[in-house]
Amino acid sequence: MALDKLLENEAQAEIERIRADAQARAEQIVAGAQERARTLVESRTRQLANQRQAELVRARSAADLDSNAQRLTSSDTLQAQAFKVSEQYLHSSVTSPEYPMILAKLISEALQVLPNAEAVEASLSEHDAVRQALAQLGRTLDVRVNEQVKTGVRLVGPGGKSSIQNTLTGRLDRVRGELAPQISRLLAE
């Protein structure tokens, strides 16, 4: 019996050793799996945080672009309205009592460029003011109807071969490019 007992004890010891080795190996496997899982979770968390941050940056950029586009559209609309109001004011100025003086200045400037002008063209509604302006300047020129010329005059040279136009709306059109940045800056304030 002692041999049986000895073999049984040896077998029991071998089983315990195998069990202990298996337990240690299982703990290593579990620890390795837990480490890989923790690393994977941390990696995925960082990846999601980076994606979230990138999405926030894209969203902010899109919002900034949209805001700037709306601001530019608004500025362009207000700028167009400012020029439209200016043009309306210039068109309404032809009925003011000061308009013949304004025309005298426009005619005088045009005569500096075309001193031998033989005719003045203007809208029919402005003819009285043109005649008053010519009288102020002490000039006699043929006054002709040209409905394309409003808020000013067009001087025609001998034989109609040369001409110069000087109108208030033409002046506004010429300075539009220079005024646009100033108007935009004023609108932005």
Side-chain angles (χ1 to χ4, degrees):
M1 271 238 316
L3 186 56
D4 280 349
K5 203 59 161 156
L6 185 62
L7 286 176
E8 191 178 316
N9 285 344
E10 270 187 45
Q12 192 62 32
E14 186 64 22
I15 290 172
E16 288 300 321
R17 188 187 58 73
I18 291 173
R19 216 179 253 153
D21 286 347
Q23 182 67 29
R25 180 75 181 127
E27 287 174 3
Q28 284 178 341
I29 291 171
V30 168
Q34 286 176 337
E35 180 61 26
R36 284 191 303 277
R38 186 187 57 74
T39 303
L40 184 62
V41 167
E42 287 174 357
S43 172
R44 187 67 179 140
T45 301
R46 277 191 308 274
Q47 186 181 23
L48 289 173
N50 290 339
Q51 284 178 341
R52 179 180 173 271
Q53 196 61 28
E55 289 297 322
L56 284 173
V57 168
R58 278 194 289 275
R60 284 185 190 120
S61 294
D64 287 345
L65 285 174
D66 186 47
S67 173
N68 288 337
Q70 288 179 7
R71 193 175 315 120
L72 285 174
T73 300
S74 174
S75 177
D76 287 347
T77 301
L78 291 173
Q79 193 175 93
Q81 287 176 343
F83 281 112
K84 184 176 181 177
V85 167
S86 297
E87 285 179 24
Q88 289 171 345
Y89 176 77
L90 291 175
H91 283 286
S92 71
S93 72
V94 300
T95 59
S96 74
E98 297 84 16
Y99 191 61
M101 290 184 293
I102 295 170
L103 279 177
K105 178 75 172 154
L106 294 174
I107 292 170
S108 176
E109 289 173 355
L111 283 170
Q112 290 175 5
V113 177
L114 191 63
N116 60 345
E118 62 181 32
V120 178
E121 294 181 349
S123 172
L124 182 60
S125 63
E126 298 178 37
H127 275 206
D128 288 338
V130 169
R131 286 187 183 91
Q132 290 175 31
L134 287 170
Q136 287 176 18
L137 293 171
R139 295 291 302 248
T140 55
L141 296 171
D142 185 27
V143 180
R144 299 179 189 161
V145 175
N146 184 339
E147 291 301 326
Q148 300 299 311
V149 181
K150 297 183 190 278
T151 71
V153 295
R154 180 174 178 250
L155 297 186
V156 180
K161 293 185 180 184
S162 59
S163 68
I164 183 163
Q165 187 164 313
N166 196 5
T167 64
L168 297 176
T169 54
R171 287 175 174 227
L172 179 63
D173 287 341
R174 283 192 298 275
V175 297
R176 189 178 298 255
E178 296 170 28
L179 291 176
Q182 294 173 17
I183 292 171
S184 292
R185 190 174 53 253
L186 288 172
L187 292 173
E189 292 176 353

